[in-house]
Amino acid sequence: MPTLFDIFFYLFAATIVVSAVLVCFSHNIVHAAFSLLFTFMAVAGVYVLLGADFLAVSQILIYVGGILVLLVFGVMLTNRVTNIDIRAAVRARIPAFVLCSGLLTVLILLLTTGHWISYKDQPWTNTPWNKNAVEQALAPDQGTEQEKHDKSGSHGTAPEIGKLMLTDYLLPFELVSVVLLVALLGAASIARQDPVPAKQEGGA
Amino acid sequence: MNDLILISLVALGLPLVAFVLVIFNQKALADRAHLISTPAIAFSLVLSLYVAWMKLKGLPLTTFEWSMDWIQFGTLPGYGPLKITVGVLLDNITAILMVVVTSVSFLVHIFSSEYMKLDSRYARYFAYLGLFTAAMMGVILVNNFFGLYMCWELVGFTSYLLIGHWYEQTGPQLASKKAFITNRIGDAVMWMGILLLFTEFHTFNYREIFALIYQGLPITFSIFGLSPETTLTVAGLLLFSGAIAKSAQFPLHVWLPDAMEGPTPVSALIHAATMVAAGVYFTARIFPLLTGDAMLIVSCIGGFTALLAATIAITQTDIKRVLAYSTVSQLGLMIMSIGAGAVAAGLFHLVTHAAFKACLFLGAGSVIHAIHRAQHGTADSELDAQDMRNMGGLLKKMPITGWSFIVATLAISGLPLLAGFMSKDEILAGVTAYGKLQSTMQHSVESQPFYIDHNAIAILLPFVGGIVTILTAFYMWRQVFLVFFGVPREVSLFERIRESSRVMTVPIVVLAALCLWIWYGPNPLAPESGWFLKKWVRTSAQVIPPQTAPTYAIVPQVLATDDATHEEPEVSPASSPIPSSQTTSTLDRLPQMPHQLALEAERHTVAPIVGEVAIGSALFGLLLAWLLYMLRPGVASTIGRKLGPLYRFSLRGWYIDEIYEIAVVAPFLFVARGLAWVDDRVVDGLVNATARTTVLLSRVVGWFDRYIVDGIVTLVGATVQFLGLMTRSLQTGRIQTYLAWVVASVVTLFVVIHYVVLAKP
Amino acid sequence: MSLFPVGLYHFLILAAVLFVLGLFTMLTRKNAIAVLMGIELILNAANINFVAFTRYGGVNLGGQMTAIFVIVMAACEAAVALAIVLNLYRRSQTVSVVDANKLRD
């Protein structure tokens, strides 16, 4: 008997697969971009199912709000609407299909034959970051007021991630911020209108 | 650094600065070069006078020395620390010679600004004069052999440049080369001597070397297995060789007469007053280490040169060549005097000689200049302006030059009231004392490796001195009579001759004034009482081992009296004989060795007689010249014809140039030609054969290279190209193809690992 | 291996499928922006794996942290890649990855 969790999982999984297939096969690249929107949303849903609330929010904010918008901008800037190019050309579908099915087979073989130790079969409970909620449910009246407040309900993963970000993951955090800055500067620099006219390129 | 040393260095630097300024601005300065050079040398003269005044008046017994490390080579294994130091040694003789050099140079600068007026290389001439003066100051001032050798070479080089000033003509060309090569021979030998001492004592400093020798010769001081004492003799003679060349002593005197091809002021400055005197100065400097044998050889060379040059001078007709041979002769006297142990007398003569010989040369220059001007644009321009046979009676036309010339001639002939008498008298006294003592010395054959019959030779030296005095008076007065007296032999030329301008006559008059006795002592007949010998310059003490000194039989008797007559306190050698590097060292107060004291004493006893003989000889020479050239003008040529071979022998300078031509130059050229032939045929043949073999070999190698090596290389290249073509098809440049290859590889890898590698048997 | 209850396997298989679909997009599309979309799909698949492993096997939030960093890097990559694509389009009037092969020779 499927639980609510299972149902939601299959719902999101179906959305992901269908919209991803549309991304693959859609003739219109604008359609593909819209399908991608659904994929990202569904992946966010999967994150919620997996107890990663902060990540789900980030997914929606960054992917949907940022990356996808960028992609759509790219599409708009590089395709004249009347151009035939707006119909995304494809090539060599058959060998790609063969290769991809081979890879999928291999992956599924690996996943199913491998032995994965999964010691937490009960979702929503037992996870380190949901422990407070469980304890609260089991013993609601214990502890001081402050402790009670700390244990009241789930605070999600955001506080934990925030602590980790500034403690154990401080160096990657700083590095990634530098990388982000450099990438933005680089992108601005590359995308800037070339002061030299393009006719020089024609001669090259 | 002491103030006086600093001032001396400035006096040295000023001419150098003038040289640099002039040589790099020749075009801009052109005929205004003397406006830079003359003030520089004038200031240098003032500084030198100041130094000499302070030194001689105030501190006559102090010697100043200043040294600095110039090049540090660090510590060498098996040798110890190696460094080259340069420095300044300032003693009385240095101070006096500074004045001599700068004053003569200053006067010559003034004289030249008129004499060289029309020269096309006027600026360069003055630049070289400045460089010469600086180098000469360097020779005088440095305190070590290394610095001395550098300045010594620089002096020789400037001499070469100035002799060859008119290098368009063949004469100056050859003369400058001759001077340079002859000097090089002597300098090379001298450098050997310097290195011989340096190898043993590890220093170039004069006083350090003397101190080390005084402490006792080390047994390691030896070349060719000779004993240390003999090696010291050899070292002294090697060093003296530099003086032989520079001071034009036999057998290297041949360059000096030819050097008269240079401008006359240059002859006055370099080839009469200063540079040639550098050799005498150097001999005096190294006198402390000259052993008895070396002293004898030095004095014999000097005496022979004096006699040789004097006999040549009596027949010369060129006004400058007479003076040149006279210079050689006088230098010979100085060297003889130093060799005989009368160092102070030799240096005294050096100073007085600088004055009167510079005066004579400038006077000759004035005469030549006047004749040149008279010749200008007339039919007489073919006449040789330097031939005395074309002159005569010039005293009427050129009174200032003439009278100055006569004063200088009186000085050089050694007549009283003039400086030349004082110095020459001292030399004759010293040489006589030496000859007398040498002939009575106790001599043990077994202690001397080279047996020389001292008795026979040394006793000749006083007679040589006397003969040279007669000859000097004779040839100098002959010159005066031929040039300034008698009837004019070229009347038309004579009428146009005018006295030279003030710029030229003033230096001559100044120099003539310097020939007077009063500058050197109050009593013209007693040079001993003059301040030059009494206060300023003393014969330096010798440092040689006692057994190498000449041993005179009469030493013990005179020692006592000598001590009594000398007021200066004697420091006993035992107290502190080792000089330190301080300003004043005990080396300066070292007592003279017994034989030196014996010489001094003997000189006192012979001096009165010698003085009378000297005056007599000079007067005799004067009278002889008067007789032959004034009273009976035709007699001289008759005698010359009668003594034909002897006359020519003298006129050609004892045929020494010819002998060298046959004995040295011709064999040298013969060997050179032989070597050239060997080079041309054998060496070149070998080289050519090698070349041909190489060409042949290279052809073979080339074939091998082209077909075998290149073949292999081409094969490798072709293989790589083929492989590249094969793999190139994979390089599509399309990312997606690469990606597909990656995916395919992953799948294949998995399949291989899963079903082949991990397959259970 | 059953459909219920949903466990680690299901998430992993979902991620695998998403990965292969992204790969297929990358392989077949000519349009550079579409290729970028494929890359985003692949990155999402990887992120699902990270989060799933965190949920079922992790003792801390390491996987989620990695996923966050991956998202940030994806943003960087998208920005730079789109800048490059725009530049390419401006220079050669094309966004086809097939035609952009000038560096090959």
Side-chain angles (χ1 to χ4, degrees):
Chain A
M1 187 60 197
T3 59
L4 198 60
F5 181 83
D6 302 334
I7 292 167
F8 270 102
F9 171 76
Y10 282 112
L11 192 64
F12 288 139
T15 316
I16 285 172
V17 173
V18 170
S19 59
V21 166
L22 278 175
V23 171
C24 286
F25 295 102
S26 168
H27 287 290
N28 192 327
I29 190 140
V30 182
H31 293 177
F34 274 106
S35 305
L36 200 60
L37 168 66
F38 289 104
T39 316
F40 289 158
M41 296 295 274
V43 169
V46 169
Y47 291 162
V48 172
L49 288 183
L50 287 169
D53 44 31
F54 179 77
L55 205 52
V57 173
S58 305
Q59 168 87 3
I60 290 169
L61 273 178
I62 297 175
Y63 265 109
V64 180
I67 297 175
L68 195 61
V69 171
L70 263 182
L71 288 174
V72 173
F73 262 124
V75 170
M76 293 303 175
L77 285 172
T78 57
N79 289 284
R80 280 151 291 184
V81 180
T82 53
N83 198 321
I84 188 83
D85 268 351
I86 202 160
R87 308 183 63 79
V90 292
R91 53 188 291 274
R93 270 196 168 155
I94 311 298
F97 186 76
V98 171
L99 268 177
C100 288
S101 355
L103 188 64
L104 186 62
T105 318
V106 165
L107 287 175
I108 290 177
L109 265 174
L110 272 172
L111 289 177
T112 50
T113 53
H115 180 58
W116 301 96
I117 301 165
S118 173
Y119 58 92
K120 291 162 200 153
D121 288 329
Q122 292 300 312
W124 299 109
T125 58
N126 221 8
T127 56
W129 54 94
N130 281 342
K131 220 173 172 183
N132 288 342
V134 176
E135 281 170 5
Q136 178 70 22
L138 293 177
D141 296 329
Q142 287 180 358
T144 62
E145 280 302 307
Q146 183 59 42
E147 281 170 353
K148 275 181 192 168
H149 175 261
D150 287 345
K151 290 175 180 177
S152 63
S154 169
H155 299 296
T157 55
E160 194 74 17
I161 286 175
K163 278 181 207 156
L164 284 172
M165 199 79 93
L166 291 176
T167 52
D168 292 358
Y169 290 85
L170 185 60
L171 184 63
F173 174 66
E174 294 292 346
L175 284 179
V176 94
S177 57
V178 171
V179 169
L180 188 61
L181 177 67
V182 172
L184 288 176
L185 290 176
S189 164
I190 293 169
R192 197 182 47 182
Q193 189 74 38
D194 203 340
V196 181
K199 70 178 179 188
Q200 208 175 21
E201 286 296 309
Chain B
M1 199 195 307
N2 188 280
D3 285 351
L4 286 182
I5 286 178
L6 191 65
I7 296 169
S8 312
L9 284 177
V10 173
L12 185 156
L14 280 170
L16 199 60
V17 171
F19 159 71
V20 172
L21 285 178
V22 175
I23 196 77
F24 289 118
N25 297 298
Q26 286 182 49
K27 288 247 171 60
L29 288 170
D31 54 351
R32 293 190 304 276
H34 63 276
L35 295 181
I36 287 187
S37 295
T38 313
I41 192 71
F43 200 52
S44 189
L45 170 62
V46 170
L47 294 180
S48 300
L49 282 171
Y50 174 76
V51 170
W53 177 260
M54 296 302 286
K55 179 76 181 72
L56 300 175
K57 185 80 178 169
L59 308 154
L61 292 177
T62 318
T63 301
F64 297 102
E65 187 166 9
W66 167 80
S67 285
M68 58 169 258
D69 290 350
W70 184 31
I71 306 171
Q72 289 267 17
F73 289 103
T75 304
L76 299 190
Y79 179 86
L82 177 62
K83 64 183 179 186
I84 294 176
T85 58
V86 289
V88 172
L89 180 67
L90 186 64
D91 57 11
N92 288 355
I93 188 65
T94 304
I96 292 168
L97 285 181
M98 275 169 70
V99 175
V100 171
V101 169
T102 47
S103 56
V104 176
S105 181
F106 172 63
L107 295 173
V108 164
H109 270 75
I110 293 177
F111 187 88
S112 300
S113 61
E114 174 71 21
Y115 188 85
M116 302 296 286
K117 208 167 204 169
L118 302 173
D119 196 84
S120 57
R121 284 185 294 277
Y122 187 78
R124 187 184 297 185
Y125 171 84
F126 273 94
Y128 290 162
L129 279 189
L131 180 60
F132 167 79
T133 311
M136 193 62 211
M137 294 286 275
V139 167
I140 295 166
L141 280 171
V142 292
N143 69 342
N144 62 78
F145 286 113
F146 191 84
L148 177 109
Y149 190 74
M150 290 193 333
C151 298
W152 190 264
E153 290 297 320
L154 202 54
V155 162
F157 176 63
T158 21
S159 159
Y160 161 79
L161 290 174
L162 284 167
I163 295 171
H165 183 71
W166 292 314
Y167 54 74
E168 295 90 345
Q169 302 158 23
T170 322
Q173 269 180 26
L174 294 176
S176 61
K177 271 191 282 183
K178 190 172 182 179
F180 194 70
I181 292 169
T182 314
N183 269 303
R184 284 301 312 148
I185 295 169
D187 295 348
V189 180
M190 170 184 166
W191 183 237
M192 280 188 238
I194 293 173
L195 288 184
L196 180 61
L197 290 174
F198 182 74
T199 315
E200 180 57 39
F201 298 113
H202 294 192
T203 175
F204 286 117
N205 190 300
Y206 305 138
R207 279 143 55 97
E208 285 174 22
I209 288 178
F210 295 157
L212 289 165
I213 293 175
Y214 184 77
Q215 282 173 310
L217 283 176
I219 195 70
T220 50
F221 185 56
S222 166
I223 48 163
F224 306 129
L226 296 172
S227 67
E229 288 78 18
T230 316
T231 310
L232 189 62
T233 306
V234 172
L237 290 175
L238 288 176
L239 289 174
F240 176 62
S241 303
I244 290 183
K246 200 63 84 192
S247 285
Q249 298 299 295
F250 178 83
L252 296 179
H253 67 281
V254 289
W255 66 272
L256 189 57
D258 286 17
M260 297 303 134
E261 296 282 358
T264 308
V266 167
S267 306
L269 174 62
I270 301 184
H271 307 120
T274 54
M275 182 183 95
V276 289
V280 178
Y281 163 78
F282 182 63
T283 315
R285 216 16 125 200
I286 62 167
F287 174 73
L289 57 74
L290 290 179
T291 59
D293 293 338
M295 279 169 68
L296 184 68
I297 294 171
V298 168
S299 59
C300 285
I301 287 177
F304 182 70
T305 310
L307 190 62
L308 169 87
T311 54
I312 295 170
I314 53 174
T315 56
Q316 299 302 311
T317 54
D318 185 313
I319 185 169
K320 281 179 76 182
R321 280 183 93 83
V322 174
L323 293 176
Y325 278 111
S326 156
T327 306
V328 175
S329 176
Q330 300 301 312
L331 290 168
L333 278 183
M334 298 176 210
I335 295 284
M336 177 169 74
S337 163
I338 292 175
V343 178
L347 290 171
F348 189 20
H349 197 55
L350 192 167
V351 174
T352 58
H353 173 257
F356 56 68
K357 192 48 71 67
C359 180
L360 290 172
F361 263 109
L362 291 187
S366 174
V367 169
I368 294 166
H369 193 66
I371 293 175
H372 268 302
R373 270 189 310 167
Q375 279 178 338
H376 193 68
T378 66
D380 300 319
S381 56
E382 294 302 308
L383 283 174
D384 185 353
Q386 301 192 8
D387 195 332
M388 293 191 292
R389 286 169 300 190
N390 297 331
M391 305 173 191
L394 287 179
L395 190 61
K396 278 183 212 128
K397 290 286 179 184
M398 309 178 69
I400 306 175
T401 307
W403 283 113
S404 306
F405 201 95
I406 288 167
V407 169
T409 308
L410 283 168
I412 194 175
S413 351
L415 287 166
L417 294 182
L418 289 154
F421 167 76
M422 298 163 82
S423 55
K424 198 173 264 186
D425 183 40
E426 272 303 301
I427 287 180
L428 289 177
V431 171
T432 309
Y434 178 72
K436 197 175 163 193
L437 285 182
Q438 278 286 4
S439 60
T440 58
M441 70 184 272
Q442 290 176 336
H443 179 251
S444 58
V445 178
E446 60 275 6
S447 74
Q448 305 285 342
F450 296 122
Y451 179 73
I452 303 170
D453 193 350
H454 298 70
N455 304 1
I457 296 172
I459 199 65
L460 290 177
L461 292 175
F463 295 100
V464 167
I467 293 167
V468 168
T469 308
I470 298 173
L471 289 174
T472 306
F474 175 73
Y475 64 70
M476 283 315 298
W477 283 104
R478 166 178 175 264
Q479 184 171 35
V480 169
F481 292 144
L482 280 176
V483 175
F484 291 103
F485 291 94
V487 286
R489 279 173 282 275
E490 299 289 336
V491 182
S492 62
L493 187 71
F494 177 77
E495 289 307 318
R496 286 192 301 277
I497 287 178
R498 297 283 175 275
E499 174 64 284
S500 301
S501 70
R502 285 265 171 79
V503 182
M504 286 170 75
T505 51
V506 167
I508 301 174
V509 173
V510 170
L511 283 168
L514 287 175
C515 297
L516 295 174
W517 87 96
I518 192 65
W519 308 100
Y520 309 96
N523 184 348
L525 290 174
E528 271 290 278
S529 63
W531 34 79
F532 191 99
L533 290 175
K534 196 171 181 185
K535 290 191 179 153
W536 294 345
V537 178
R538 225 182 111 216
T539 301
S540 45
Q542 285 194 293
V543 295
I544 53 173
Q547 68 268 29
T548 61
T551 46
Y552 309 127
I554 49 173
V555 170
Q557 292 90 326
V558 297
L559 256 181
T561 56
D562 190 78
D563 272 343
T565 52
H566 268 72
E567 308 139 29
E568 294 162 50
E570 298 285 357
V571 178
S572 72
S575 62
S576 171
I578 306 143
S580 62
S581 56
Q582 290 162 353
T583 345
T584 312
S585 88
T586 48
L587 191 69
D588 305 315
R589 293 197 298 275
L590 211 60
Q592 294 193 337
M593 292 181 72
H595 70 274
Q596 292 184 281
L597 296 175
L599 264 180
E600 288 278 320
E602 185 64 24
R603 195 164 53 75
H604 282 299
T605 57
V606 298
I609 312 154
V610 169
E612 284 155 24
V613 172
I615 298 173
S617 312
L619 284 174
F620 176 65
L622 196 165
L623 281 175
L624 202 63
W626 184 75
L627 195 69
L628 287 179
Y629 293 95
M630 291 298 288
L631 204 62
R632 298 277 170 80
V635 175
S637 52
T638 318
I639 295 172
R641 246 179 282 118
K642 287 250 174 69
L643 297 170
L646 270 179
Y647 177 76
R648 280 194 297 278
F649 187 65
S650 163
L651 186 67
R652 305 300 300 272
W654 290 31
Y655 294 105
I656 285 175
D657 274 340
E658 285 77 3
I659 291 168
Y660 281 175
E661 190 67 39
I662 294 164
V664 180
V665 179
F668 188 81
L669 284 179
F670 178 76
V671 171
R673 284 201 195 95
L675 288 175
W677 183 87
V678 168
D679 190 49
D680 209 32
R681 298 293 159 85
V682 180
V683 178
D684 280 11
L686 277 174
V687 171
N688 287 342
T690 315
R692 270 188 219 107
T693 319
T694 311
V695 169
L696 193 68
L697 268 174
S698 65
R699 290 229 175 88
V700 175
V701 172
W703 180 88
F704 183 80
D705 195 46
R706 194 167 303 128
Y707 292 101
I708 310 289
V709 179
D710 278 12
I712 293 169
V713 172
T714 313
L715 186 67
V716 171
T719 315
V720 171
Q721 202 170 18
F722 177 71
L723 286 173
L725 277 175
M726 298 277 287
T727 46
R728 195 172 179 231
S729 58
L730 296 178
Q731 290 283 109
T732 56
R734 289 171 192 165
I735 310 161
Q736 288 158 323
T737 318
Y738 302 156
L739 192 61
W741 280 110
V742 171
V743 176
S745 310
V746 170
V747 174
T748 315
L749 197 64
F750 172 80
V751 171
V752 167
I753 290 172
H754 201 263
Y755 293 106
V756 179
V757 179
L758 297 179
K760 292 186 179 97
Chain C
M1 177 77 216
S2 60
L3 284 176
F4 307 108
V6 172
L8 180 59
Y9 285 105
H10 302 82
F11 287 99
L12 293 184
I13 288 167
L14 173 65
V17 171
L18 189 56
F19 179 84
V20 170
L21 283 170
L23 186 64
F24 188 80
T25 312
M26 280 183 75
L27 283 176
T28 55
R29 291 286 189 176
K30 273 186 170 174
N31 192 320
I33 296 174
V35 173
L36 268 182
M37 292 178 183
I39 293 173
E40 302 299 345
L41 288 183
I42 288 174
L43 288 172
N44 269 288
N47 271 356
I48 289 174
N49 269 8
F50 276 123
V51 179
F53 281 128
T54 307
R55 169 65 184 77
Y56 287 102
V59 291
N60 57 25
L61 289 176
Q64 286 197 22
M65 297 301 299
T66 313
I68 287 171
F69 289 133
V70 168
I71 289 173
V72 176
M73 298 312 279
C76 298
E77 168 253 326
V80 175
L82 276 168
I84 292 171
V85 167
L86 282 179
N87 214 338
L88 174 71
Y89 179 74
R90 203 163 55 227
R91 282 170 186 275
S92 52
Q93 301 300 314
T94 181
V95 288
S96 167
V97 290
V98 180
D99 298 340
N101 57 0
K102 266 187 186 163
L103 278 177
R104 181 196 173 197
D105 299 317

